[in-house]
Amino acid sequence: MLTTIRVNGVDRAADVDPRMSLLDFLRERLDLKGTKKGCDHGQCGACTVLVNGVRINACLSLAVMHEGDQVLTVEGLAGEEALHPVQHAFLVEDAFQCGYCTPGQICSAVGLLAEVAAGQPSEATVDLEGPVVLTDAEIRERMSGNICRCSAYPQILAAVRRAAGVAA
Amino acid sequence: MKPFAYERARDVDHALSLAAANPGARFLAGGTNLLDLMKLEIEQPSQVIDVGRLPLAEISETPSGGLRIGALATNTAVASDPRVRSRYPILARAILAGGSVQLRNKASVGGNLMQRTRCPYFMDSAKPCNKRLPGSGCSAMEGLAMTFALFGASEMCVAVSPSDMSVALAALDGLAETVRADGSVSRRPVETLHRLPGEAPQVDTDLAPDELILAVELPPPPEGGQAWRKVRARASYTGAIASVAVAGGQVALGAVAARPWRARAAEEALASGASPFEAAASELAHAAGEEGRKALVRRLAADVIREAREGMGS
């Protein structure tokens, strides 16, 4: 099926089997290997990308479902001259060891910041009717869809805190 | 994944006519459960009807003072809706307890209702399972898991519904509105949308193959406090061992049956003046299964009923 998806600001068309996941479309058809395949079942978060500004698991979506959508992957985050603030925060806080989960962690954190700005609650939100206060408990809960096998969680927490401009 | 034909529905009628023409077809909304099961070849639809772009995502007030939630509203959209947060806080809490943000951003309300059990033996296609392969036997009966049904199980199947959201919807008297290809519209309580396993555990619901969920309708919230709690094996992002949703005098238990379990015995006991613990005990008196798990659900239910009475919120 001929499918056109706008990836990192550029329309990319390919003839795809309906079975192809968005993740495989990005990696195998577009050669964008930044988005990682971990579990391939929506459990690890390594494949997290932003679709129309919202973070999802690219492994649990078919490419054909995304005709005309705007997809942002880790390759599309940095500007011409500088890294994205979340990428920069991950570097400063040394928020990875092997790095395999890192693109998913970073895309997830970018989504998280937008969700918090929009006032969306999480399970850690104490007052459902109040504004969201980005405590460490909030960050941990909101990042719980991204697993880090090296267990760099304290540094990831610090990186998200830094990117959000929240004092430790 | 087995090959299938993909069709994007242009409108509801198109989706229904495609489904009526092919009983082997499945509706696809967010895909977070269906595609997972298709990868495991537990689901093998010959055709996938993508309803994801149909205009069914609206959340609106009803004339009776309730809320109508379109079947394609994402789990995130429902949990973030200010009306849900203020008037139906247990619904927001239950949704936020399920999955991860990535999943909730994609998963729809209709899809959440239609998700299949996560019984580990259903998910493992190397094992016998009457729900997956009728007549092959039940591995779970003698198996290892914390989540077998306490209520409504049969000799054929002890699997439970994995939905957190539906537990809150059942406590709130939510109705699922559906439509079929012949235009007939039905409203079914979310509480009884799912069948108990009986002799045919492979059939999850009474919905016809050409029946599509359009919306969930909530009446105005009942008088009294609301409270929700989910017990699970880790702090986040895993299924319930048990959950409880309370709205006024209405109590629903989660992960204890093939459907969200309205604790009618407990409700009747509460209405006649029983304490929260006595009410929970009267419900669990009807339960089958292991004593430790029953004790956990009994204490949990009593505590959440108490919290709803004292807290007037969640």
Side-chain angles (χ1 to χ4, degrees), chain B residues 52-214:
Chain B
R53 297 188 186 209
L54 299 183
L56 299 172
E58 197 187 344
I59 305 175
S60 56
E61 305 274 349
T62 65
S64 66
L67 214 53
R68 181 185 159 88
I69 300 169
L72 289 173
T74 64
N75 284 213
T76 294
V78 178
S80 300
D81 187 279
R83 295 161 295 189
V84 173
R85 288 153 74 175
S86 67
R87 282 152 54 192
Y88 306 97
I90 53 171
L91 177 57
R93 290 276 179 211
I95 288 173
L96 293 170
S100 65
V101 184
Q102 287 96 316
L103 293 172
R104 296 194 296 271
N105 282 345
K106 192 99 184 316
S108 67
V109 166
N112 186 315
L113 289 175
M114 293 303 289
Q115 70 182 303
R116 306 208 66 193
T117 185
R118 290 177 190 265
C119 174
Y121 301 100
F122 173 77
M123 298 292 284
D124 180 351
S125 51
K127 300 283 198 303
C129 169
N130 287 324
K131 187 182 269 296
R132 176 166 32 75
L133 190 65
S136 63
C138 174
S139 310
M141 300 273 184
E142 310 277 316
L144 297 169
M146 280 297 285
T147 51
F148 299 149
L150 297 180
F151 301 99
S154 73
E155 292 293 305
M156 303 284 282
C157 183
V158 293
V160 302
S161 161
S163 171
D164 294 320
M165 179 191 79
S166 69
V167 183
L169 290 176
L172 292 164
D173 279 335
L175 299 174
E177 183 187 289
T178 64
V179 64
R180 294 190 62 179
D182 64 8
S184 58
V185 172
S186 306
R187 284 191 175 76
R188 292 179 170 80
V190 170
E191 177 193 353
T192 49
L193 185 67
H194 289 79
R195 295 159 47 103
L196 294 176
E199 294 297 307
Q202 71 276 15
V203 186
D204 286 358
T205 71
D206 289 326
L207 299 190
D210 66 342
E211 192 165 4
L212 180 69
I213 301 175
L214 292 175

Side-chain angles (χ1 to χ4, degrees), chain B residues 239-310:
Chain B
I241 293 169
S243 66
V244 180
V246 178
Q250 296 163 197
V251 181
L253 310 178
V256 297
R259 55 171 62 147
W261 191 259
R262 264 298 277 274
R264 302 279 177 187
E267 293 177 9
E268 282 167 29
L270 286 173
S272 39
S275 73
F277 188 83
E278 289 164 346
S282 69
E283 188 69 35
L284 270 295
H286 306 289
E290 195 250 326
E291 284 308 316
R293 184 141 185 270
K294 286 197 269 189
L296 182 153
V297 175
R298 188 160 49 228
R299 284 193 301 271
L300 181 69
D303 209 37
V304 180
I305 293 167
R306 197 176 302 120
E307 187 183 322
R309 287 182 168 188
E310 291 166 2

Side-chain angles (χ1 to χ4, degrees), chain A residues 3-36:
Chain A
T3 299
T4 305
I5 304 175
R6 196 165 181 82
V7 179
N8 298 330
V10 179
D11 279 339
R12 306 293 295 265
D15 187 29
V16 301
D17 186 299
R19 290 173 290 179
M20 180 173 265
S21 68
L22 176 62
L23 173 61
D24 286 343
F25 178 83
L26 295 169
R27 288 180 56 85
E28 309 302 333
R29 287 306 180 85
L30 306 187
D31 208 28
L32 291 169
K33 300 287 174 80
T35 307
K36 296 296 189 280

